[in-house]
Amino acid sequence: MNILIINCHTDNRGDEAAVHALIDELNCNYNKLSITLSMRGEGRYPNLPDNVTCISQFIPARKKAIFANRVAIISKGKISLSQKEKQLIEAIKHADIILHAPGGPSIGDTYYDAEPTYLRIFDLIRALHKPYMFYAPSMGPFEKTGRNKWRKKILTASSGIALRDPVSADHLKKLLPEIMIHQTLDSALQYDVDLEANQKKLDGYKELKTFLKKHEKCIGITITDLQWHPVYSRDTQLKNRIQDTFRSAIDEIIQNGFGVIFIPQLYGNGNDYNLMSQYVVSSESCYVVKSDSDLYDAYFQQYLISKLYMVIGMRYHSNIFSAKMGTPFISISYEQKMQGFMKKIGLEKYCIVINELNYESLKSKMELVVKNYGDYKNDLLNLHDSMKAESLETTKIVNNIIKDYDLNNK
């Protein structure tokens, strides 16, 4: 069995966590399995099983690459004008099924300028007559209608669509009211963390372990300045408001006797270790987790979060990790994926929409978490099995597609 996972975003603990959990669960389902990850970038996820191969994905963005993509589509993969494209074509040809990786809303208006580079890959897959599925990404909105005919063609030809949040599902229902949508949950929730192995990693991480021991309670924080975001990067006032809000909140957290642990989500080229280091008040009160060590991967971050009192997360997957590990958290939502998740699990009252973020709103949410701490923690612990089961539904859909495809092609 050969499975190709396309559009994997590199150097990001969130995407890493979602894809790694998918791989681990697939390996539980199939004895003889070969998995290829098509990475949008040169980076690779760490600590992958031996049956996983990574390739750098051909991305048809510039004129030459777009022309090459068209030639490959017209020739049904017989002609390829670049080595990367040839490698991708071979991976598509050998795949029994192709999965669009669990990730952000790359199909839709949010990343409108980049969207064609995703859609063109599906045009190539369709030309090669391979089954494909959207494996629990976010999606939409689709209000910029000029591309909707193309989007509909790609989406209706898929063998299955699972979306990880109800907001994305609502967007897609408006675009394609008749299409079957499976509403599941984020892929990272389906596979449990190896507690013993990650405790050993923590034991070996002397600086972090010492910091945790020094503080009775620690609060984890993830921050992004959104300077990479296609919409918010132009909002200078928002950038300043994010800085002011977190600086004030961190001061208060420290004054109340808590330790602060920053948990970078990006490594490699987009490393956000330096960004979070700017918020360190002192080494006695703040610690920034190493971001570029393969040892301290996405599973380790999840285990670390289980040891914290609370998390304040601007990064989506730091909140998914918190929910998974039963640690109360405050989510700051800059895209529908976070609001949708909080709505799905009934914890919207602990979410702050980015346009409403300021010190007062964050302080109010922190006080709410402290006030309801026991109930909040119990709610998350009680939700663990149901969240895991809903996340697993996406892998079950893959299994069903494979069975149907095998039957139809015997």
Side-chain angles (χ1 to χ4, degrees):
M1 174 69 62
N2 296 309
I3 295 179
L4 171 63
I5 306 175
I6 61 169
N7 297 321
C8 299
H9 290 97
T10 59
D11 300 339
N12 185 316
R13 295 294 177 211
D15 290 281
E16 173 197 320
V19 174
H20 205 152
L22 160 58
I23 290 167
D24 288 338
E25 192 56 44
L26 285 172
N27 279 331
C28 291
N29 284 268
Y30 298 96
N31 292 324
K32 294 180 180 180
L33 182 61
S34 177
I35 299 172
T36 300
L37 303 185
S38 188
M39 313 293 293
R40 289 180 67 94
E42 300 300 325
R44 302 289 183 266
Y45 300 145
N47 307 320
L48 293 171
D50 293 337
N51 65 331
V52 179
T53 301
C54 295
I55 63 173
S56 295
Q57 184 167 308
F58 172 73
I59 301 175
R62 298 183 178 180
K63 285 182 180 179
K64 261 190 183 179
I66 294 169
F67 177 73
N69 176 250
R70 287 175 181 166
V71 170
I73 291 167
I74 292 167
S75 68
K76 298 187 183 302
K78 292 176 183 175
I79 302 174
S80 53
L81 302 180
S82 81
Q83 191 57 39
K84 274 189 182 180
E85 184 185 41
K86 184 177 181 180
Q87 191 177 39
L88 178 61
I89 289 169
E90 288 303 308
I92 292 170
K93 286 180 177 178
H94 285 93
D96 293 296
I97 186 171
I98 297 157
L99 308 179
H100 172 73
S106 54
I107 308 296
D109 297 346
T110 306
Y111 298 95
Y112 192 78
D113 290 345
E115 184 189 25
T117 67
Y118 294 86
L119 296 176
R120 289 182 189 119
I121 298 299
F122 287 106
D123 285 339
L124 178 58
I125 293 168
R126 290 181 69 243
L128 295 172
H129 304 292
K130 288 291 183 173
Y132 59 90
M133 174 189 163
F134 291 90
Y135 190 99
S138 295
M139 199 175 285
F142 305 105
E143 293 172 4
K144 296 181 179 179
T145 58
R147 210 173 275 158
N148 279 353
K149 184 177 179 181
W150 191 5
R151 292 161 169 167
K152 288 177 181 179
K153 181 178 71 173
I154 299 299
L155 292 164
T156 54
S158 68
S159 298
I161 299 175
L163 299 176
R164 65 185 179 182
D165 67 86
V167 178
S168 294
D170 288 343
H171 288 318
L172 187 52
K173 283 174 186 173
K174 289 177 185 175
L175 179 69
L176 290 165
E178 303 302 320
I179 202 166
M180 168 69 76
I181 302 168
H182 301 275
Q183 166 69 75
T184 59
L185 277 177
D186 191 276
S187 175
L189 294 163
Q190 70 185 296
Y191 198 83
D192 287 334
V193 174
D194 185 330
L195 302 180
E196 185 177 344
N198 283 284
Q199 179 60 50
K200 287 179 181 177
K201 288 184 182 182
L202 182 57
D203 289 340
Y205 193 164
K206 301 299 184 186
E207 292 175 357
L208 177 58
K209 191 173 183 185
T210 299
F211 187 88
L212 284 165
K213 279 186 174 179
K214 246 198 265 186
H215 301 274
E216 185 181 349
K217 294 176 182 176
C218 287
I219 293 179
I221 293 179
T222 62
I223 304 174
T224 173
D225 58 12
L226 294 173
Q227 290 305 289
W228 51 270
H229 197 275
V231 176
Y232 295 120
S233 60
R234 298 187 288 270
D235 191 340
T236 305
Q237 288 186 342
L238 175 60
K239 179 185 176 183
N240 293 335
R241 185 153 46 85
I242 290 169
Q243 290 177 345
D244 293 344
T245 297
F246 275 96
R247 291 193 191 286
S248 297
I250 289 164
D251 285 344
E252 173 145 335
I253 288 167
I254 292 168
Q255 286 171 16
N256 287 330
F258 293 91
V260 175
I261 295 180
F262 296 96
I263 309 171
Q265 296 289 281
L266 305 184
Y267 49 99
N269 291 331
N271 200 324
D272 57 1
Y273 178 95
N274 291 336
L275 171 67
M276 295 195 203
S277 296
Q278 295 171 16
Y279 292 87
V280 171
V281 175
S282 73
S283 59
E284 290 297 311
S285 57
C286 300
Y287 186 82
V288 187
V289 176
K290 292 176 182 176
S291 59
D292 265 336
S293 171
D294 285 352
L295 189 63
Y296 309 125
D297 60 7
Y299 281 131
F300 176 77
Q301 286 199 353
Q302 292 168 58
Y303 183 71
L304 169 61
I305 282 173
S306 74
K307 301 293 184 183
L308 305 181
Y309 177 75
M310 180 198 309
V311 167
I312 301 169
M314 281 195 75
R315 284 287 180 181
Y316 168 77
H317 268 100
S318 63
N319 299 319
I320 294 294
F321 295 172
S322 302
K324 179 178 178 178
M325 304 309 291
T327 299
F329 62 99
I330 298 163
S331 66
I332 298 166
S333 175
Y334 58 84
E335 286 177 0
Q336 78 249 24
K337 55 189 179 182
M338 196 64 250
Q339 281 175 277
F341 176 71
M342 298 300 276
K343 179 181 179 182
K344 175 74 174 174
I345 63 173
L347 294 171
E348 290 171 280
K349 65 184 178 182
Y350 299 109
C351 181
I352 304 172
V353 179
I354 190 66
N355 293 330
E356 298 173 3
L357 176 66
N358 54 47
Y359 172 59
E360 288 73 25
S361 65
L362 182 52
K363 182 181 179 182
S364 174
K365 294 296 183 186
M366 287 193 289
E367 291 171 349
L368 185 64
V369 171
V370 172
K371 179 183 176 182
N372 299 327
Y373 192 82
D375 289 339
Y376 192 173
K377 192 165 185 68
N378 285 334
D379 286 343
L380 290 174
L381 294 173
N382 291 333
L383 281 167
H384 179 87
D385 288 346
S386 62
M387 289 191 298
K388 179 180 177 179
E390 282 198 64
S391 179
L392 271 169
E393 283 300 312
T394 318
T395 302
K396 290 180 181 178
I397 296 163
V398 175
N399 295 338
N400 290 335
I401 292 170
I402 291 169
K403 286 177 187 175
D404 290 343
Y405 190 71
D406 284 347
L407 288 173
N408 292 332
N409 287 275
K410 279 184 178 178

